[in-house]
Amino acid sequence: MRILPASAAISAVLALAACGLPVRTVAAQAPAPSTATVTASSTPTVTAPVPQTVVVPAPQTVYVQPKNPGVAATSQWYAQPSWYNAQPWISITNSGGQTPCQWLYARGYTYAQAYAAWAQNGYPASWSATGDGYPCQKSYGMQH
């Protein structure tokens, strides 16, 4: 059968052409055995990247004041721990059935000072008559 050698010859010609080698064909002749030399480039050199030193900074400790239930978040300057912790301690003495807020108000303390006293005393829920997490609103009015 001549079909098999002819298709093998055509496959060889196509393979050589695909590799970019010149192909010589002779019309109406039987295919002659051909030899092709394919030179492959040398094995590529693989170079690994130069190792780099990565410096990871040591973790930093961040202290966050624990959230107290009932304490509303606020951006007021007097509500900042750095401020109210620096305030002098106010010793509240109950007299005449007054609440601590009424006692502070009657003695001329500002709302900021009352807030500091509330924070320094551990944020007692009883100081917020409205239950919204802000102290002394009945004595000082809405301050937030």
Side-chain angles (χ1 to χ4, degrees):
M1 265 192 168
R2 289 210 168 249
I3 296 176
L4 188 56
S7 62
I10 291 172
S11 296
V13 168
L14 292 175
L16 291 174
C19 291
L21 297 174
V23 178
R24 231 177 37 152
T25 58
V26 177
Q29 288 185 357
S34 61
T35 305
T37 304
V38 178
T39 306
S41 63
S42 63
T43 305
T45 305
V46 178
T47 54
V50 178
Q52 296 180 355
T53 302
V54 177
V55 178
V56 178
Q60 294 180 350
T61 303
V62 177
Y63 295 98
V64 178
Q65 180 177 358
K67 292 183 180 181
N68 293 310
V71 177
T74 180
S75 62
Q76 300 296 331
W77 58 270
Y78 54 78
Q80 305 305 314
S82 59
W83 184 83
Y84 61 71
N85 286 330
Q87 300 308 302
W89 186 268
I90 300 171
S91 294
I92 300 170
T93 56
N94 264 344
S95 62
Q98 290 180 318
T99 67
C101 295
Q102 291 167 339
W103 187 91
L104 290 163
Y105 185 78
R107 281 156 186 78
Y109 287 101
T110 66
Y111 181 77
Q113 290 170 316
Y115 189 97
W118 176 62
Q120 291 170 346
N121 281 284
Y123 307 97
S126 62
W127 288 33
S128 177
T130 60
D132 65 353
Y134 291 96
C136 305
Q137 291 173 329
K138 285 192 173 182
S139 298
Y140 290 92
M142 299 297 279
Q143 297 292 318
H144 54 84

